[in-house]
Amino acid sequence: MVFGRGTRLFAGAVIVACMVLVGPSAPSGGLFGRSVPVEAVRDIVPNRVMTWNICNPCETGDVDRADRIAAFAPQVIGLQEACMRDVETIRDHLENLHGLVYHVEYGKVLRSWGRCGGAPWRPGGYGQAILSAAPMTDVVNVGYPDGGSEDRGYMAVTTEVDGRSVRVFNTHLAQRRQEEIRADQVGVLAAAVSRHDRAIVVGDFNAVPDAPELAGMWELATETDPRCRPSDTARCEPTTDWQSKFDYVFLRGFTPLRHRVHPTTHSDHHVLYTDLERA
């Protein structure tokens, strides 16, 4: 069938109009047919620190996890229950889909084929991870002498928050009903934190604020929520689906400006982030 010149011009105009409305194709590395939410593409917030137990194994895609992180765009992110492959993919999605560029360091505590996949003879690494918009140095990865029912530990890096050099710690303590083991773990962690005048400690402590095993952290640092203290736990905002506060941002040498807890369907732990008072 032969179309007239007017028909061809009309068809061309429709195609151009559709291209303008749809916009450019998805960035390299993104998903076919996926558009980037405009509201999530922003600059990294230089004085914002976030902690999130991303839940593993959980049936959640790494794109969804990246979208959740991009909605807040923190300077530093501490992740727990993190597979190394997942974190690498999350970092790629943050850059390719949202334009947010992060460095990453890992605090592997074990290799787990069941949790993290990989070949049976080369299972994936599992533990903590820190993402930072600024480079990280002096990386340490410490396994607790007794992890409890599963290997646990902490990692630490030196990086920048709001242009200030800071030692950042990320940990995941032993599971519930292992109070004595957590107390020993806090002793190891607190001894390392005490050597720094300026430190930020994030993580899943698996304990409520008035739990005796957390006393060593409260003596060293202030938690970001000024209403939540061991003496007044009724005012503590829960950070888990079972309505307990298990996730913390402890500050040493910093003053919290504001904090937010955001429930998410992507994990049984909520996102917790804090904005620090600017230098």
Side-chain angles (χ1 to χ4, degrees):
M1 183 180 294
V2 178
F3 294 98
R5 181 173 182 272
T7 302
R8 292 195 302 271
L9 289 174
F10 176 76
V14 171
I15 292 172
V16 171
C18 289
M19 291 177 65
V20 171
L21 289 173
V22 174
S25 59
S28 174
L31 297 180
F32 292 108
R34 177 184 175 81
S35 61
V36 180
V38 174
E39 68 275 11
V41 179
R42 62 181 68 184
D43 291 334
I44 287 171
V45 182
N47 63 326
R48 180 169 293 172
V49 177
M50 170 179 161
T51 185
W52 189 20
N53 181 323
I54 60 177
C55 183
N56 205 308
C58 278
E59 295 183 3
T60 297
D62 291 329
V63 173
D64 293 328
R65 290 165 170 160
D67 287 348
R68 176 56 54 180
I69 293 170
F72 311 115
Q75 171 77 29
V76 172
I77 307 151
L79 300 177
Q80 302 88 41
E81 295 196 19
C83 291
M84 294 175 67
R85 290 184 180 90
D86 285 339
V87 175
E88 193 64 34
T89 303
I90 291 168
R91 184 180 71 160
D92 289 345
H93 288 323
L94 285 167
E95 181 173 359
N96 295 331
L97 299 179
H98 301 285
L100 303 174
V101 179
Y102 288 97
H103 304 268
V104 63
E105 296 290 348
Y106 299 99
K108 180 185 67 181
V109 294
L110 57 87
R111 290 192 175 277
S112 174
W113 181 83
R115 286 181 181 268
C116 299
W121 58 89
R122 192 182 179 187
Y126 170 84
Q128 289 78 248
I130 293 176
L131 287 79
S132 174
M136 292 176 276
T137 60
D138 304 320
V139 181
V140 300
N141 185 23
V142 177
Y144 292 126
D146 186 352
S149 55
E150 180 180 84
D151 290 345
R152 295 290 165 92
Y154 77 83
M155 63 178 299
V157 303
T158 298
T159 187
E160 289 185 358
V161 173
D162 194 25
R164 293 171 285 182
S165 178
V166 58
R167 194 68 171 162
V168 177
F169 296 80
N170 182 15
T171 191
H172 188 189
L173 299 189
Q175 295 172 348
R176 288 174 287 180
R177 296 181 295 278
Q178 300 180 77
E179 294 84 356
E180 292 183 2
I181 293 174
R182 284 197 301 274
D184 291 340
Q185 293 171 347
V186 168
V188 173
L189 176 63
V193 174
S194 67
R195 294 195 287 268
H196 302 274
D197 294 331
R198 185 182 292 133
I200 298 172
V201 186
V202 305
D204 174 4
F205 284 73
N206 268 319
V208 294
D210 62 350
E213 62 266 31
L214 294 190
M217 287 306 306
W218 289 109
E219 292 170 2
L220 281 177
T222 302
E223 216 274 328
T224 184
D225 186 351
R227 303 171 303 170
C228 179
R229 295 293 180 263
S231 58
D232 191 7
T233 58
R235 297 169 62 87
C236 297
E237 191 171 1
T239 64
T240 65
D241 286 353
W242 51 93
Q243 298 300 305
S244 294
K245 179 175 174 61
F246 276 9
D247 305 271
Y248 298 81
V249 177
F250 284 106
L251 303 171
R252 183 172 167 87
F254 286 91
T255 301
L257 187 61
R258 66 181 66 86
H259 79 283
R260 294 289 184 273
V261 176
H262 286 267
T264 170
T265 58
H266 308 313
S267 173
D268 53 359
H269 286 252
H270 308 335
V271 170
L272 168 63
Y273 76 80
T274 183
D275 293 338
L276 306 177
E277 192 172 272
R278 302 297 299 271

